[in-house]
Amino acid sequence: MNFKRLFMLFVLVISLGVFLAACNNEGEETGGSSGGEGSETEGNTEEAAEDEPVTIVYARGVDTTPATDAVIAAFEEAHPNIKVEQREMPADTGQSHDQYVTAFSSQSTEIDVFNADVIWPAEFAQANYALELDRFIEQDGIDMEAYFPGTVAAGKFNGRQWAMPQFTDAGVFYYRTDIVEEPPTTWDELISQAQELQGQEGTEFGYLMQAAQYEGLITNAIEYIASYGGQVVDENNEVVVNSPETIKAIEKMQEVVGSDFVPDNILNFMETETENAWIEGKAVFARNWPYMMSSSNDEERSSIVDNVEMAMLPAGDEGSAAALGGWMTMINRYSEHPEAAWEFVKFISGPEGQKISAVEGGRAPTLVELYDDPEVQEVSSLFANPEFREVLQTAVPRPVTPIYPEISDIMQIELSKALTGEQTAEEAAANMQEKMEAAMAE
Ligand code: GLC
């Protein structure tokens, strides 16, 4: 190659670089959510047709694992013309919820794709915040039967699909393999082992759970309630929370929360507090979601690497029960990039995205086949255990209703009063019954 041709090539590479940088900047300047503002953009659209780089904004809660970054890196590599900008929302699902409601009710276009807690799709669909996904699902031939049915159902409302299952959560029980010989199988065994083992290997606490007044308290309570055979609402959508079973469950919760093997400030504990204390090696047992396995084995953050295992939660009179949690992906109804947004939703909820989030983030896939994948099975023996698939399938959902936030508030207030000793378990159950009935009747 002679000098002149080399020079021309150099000029070409530089101008291409400048052109691409200009396109990227344009995406950034518009907050990633504009496609048609200003004449410059329109000019680009004509020239670059559908390959024009676009930036979408993806809002999600706090992720203490490397999973989100890894999924986005893989997506961007596969889709060089779509850039994903992350927007971090609060770790507390209730606070995130309220911020989304504020944004979406004013038809903001700022966010394109967002993570939705399994308890939101019905409400968000009804409020017209979300884009229906059926046409995309059909167009790309997505096999919804490859997912756990409960996770698909959580994203359905009025017969249409509003959210794609991203990962599922079921409450799990963590224990320290360097301290515990046989993990407890009942709440009473937990209480006696926690008392006995607290203090070993430098631990301060026997047990950690989520008892603050927020959504996580509801999931913990549902586990106690279902493990004693109680229910909040039944199959006919009747409120049935005031039962001897629920009362017994609340009493057991009061016993655990009031014990001296939990932190003094357990009533401020959410997932983050649990995770921080746990990976510092402060407790023998903990209840959390599957992602904490990944943090437990994170060499940089954890002091208990390779000393942790997961098991089913302890049982009450009826058996062991896990609350159904998890996160879905939805598209803002007013997104200006619905096609690019869908490409991202499809990737993150598809086999590649879910595998990354399982391996890098310890999250439980919603695609059944991934449980046969050796790398997913390596995350924890629980993922490799067919019984765990049962747990996921039979996890107990929270009431599915567009007024879920009201139901949750009632439970949060009444349960917190029971845990602080302001009222008895009987009073809590009766108050929940009365207030929920009134809310549902409105
Ligand atoms: C987890 C669950 C979610 C639940 C929340 C409660 O994020 O996936 O469903 O609402 O915890 O804190």
Side-chain angles (χ1 to χ4, degrees), residues 350-352 354-355 358 365-374 376-377:
E352 206 178 329
Q354 287 209 22
K355 181 168 171 179
T366 54
L367 281 167
V368 188
E369 64 174 28
L370 284 175
Y371 289 89
D372 294 327
D373 186 304
V376 171
Q377 294 191 344

Side-chain angles (χ1 to χ4, degrees), residues 93 117-119 169 214-216 219 271 289 324-327 398:
T93 170
D117 197 333
V118 285
I119 49 188
D169 265 338
Y214 82 117
E215 186 59 33
T219 56
E271 286 86 356
W289 308 101
L324 179 70
W327 290 78
R398 283 158 279 174

